[in-house]
Amino acid sequence: LLAALAGAQIDPRHAVNMTVYHLHPEITGARPIDMDTGDVEGDLFFYLDEFLLPLECANASKGMSGFDCNNPERIDPNLVVSKVELEVDSRWTTYSACNLCNGTDPFSTKPCEKGT
């Protein structure tokens, strides 16, 4: 199945080139696999929010505060921003949550392999 997917091509009628950015731990590399990406404004939100994270985490309890304060894409000491040029299928869906695993999937709470 993986070999078939690797050879799959986007229907040229729906191929769109786009530039995205993502904030991530340097060790994960520039390819945004299971990590959030965004246009300039979208990724700027994640970058600027880093300055408020100490305040948020000082009183973290449940919900997104607890998630943000344990998210390797937010707390790693070696965060970088990568610019990625993509060709994508324009028939995408709405926002889908995806995040680098820290041992437990933050949405399903099931175990996952760290760094994936």
Side-chain angles (χ1 to χ4, degrees):
L1 178 64
L2 184 57
L5 291 175
Q9 298 213 354
I10 298 170
D11 182 330
R13 296 173 296 168
H14 301 285
V16 175
N17 293 318
M18 64 187 317
T19 301
V20 297
Y21 300 85
H22 72 111
L23 180 68
H24 61 94
E26 184 177 29
I27 195 168
T28 62
R31 292 177 54 199
I33 298 172
D34 287 332
M35 290 184 264
D36 293 323
T37 62
D39 57 15
V40 171
E41 295 84 3
D43 206 58
L44 189 59
F45 166 80
F46 289 101
Y47 174 73
L48 292 177
D49 201 39
E50 292 301 308
F51 297 103
L52 298 175
L53 201 57
L55 294 172
E56 180 182 350
C57 295
N59 192 21
S61 56
K62 295 180 181 177
M64 288 308 290
S65 290
F67 171 71
D68 285 344
C69 301
N70 293 305
N71 184 346
E73 291 181 76
R74 305 294 306 277
I75 63 170
D76 191 273
N78 297 307
L79 292 174
V80 296
V81 176
S82 291
K83 176 181 176 181
V84 182
E85 303 286 337
L86 301 173
E87 180 180 77
V88 299
D89 190 315
S90 63
R91 298 170 289 181
W92 56 68
T93 185
T94 57
Y95 177 80
S96 297
C98 56
N99 291 284
L100 195 59
C101 174
N102 65 3
T104 303
D105 181 278
F107 301 105
S108 71
T109 65
K110 294 180 181 176
C112 58
E113 185 179 335
K114 285 188 177 185
T116 63

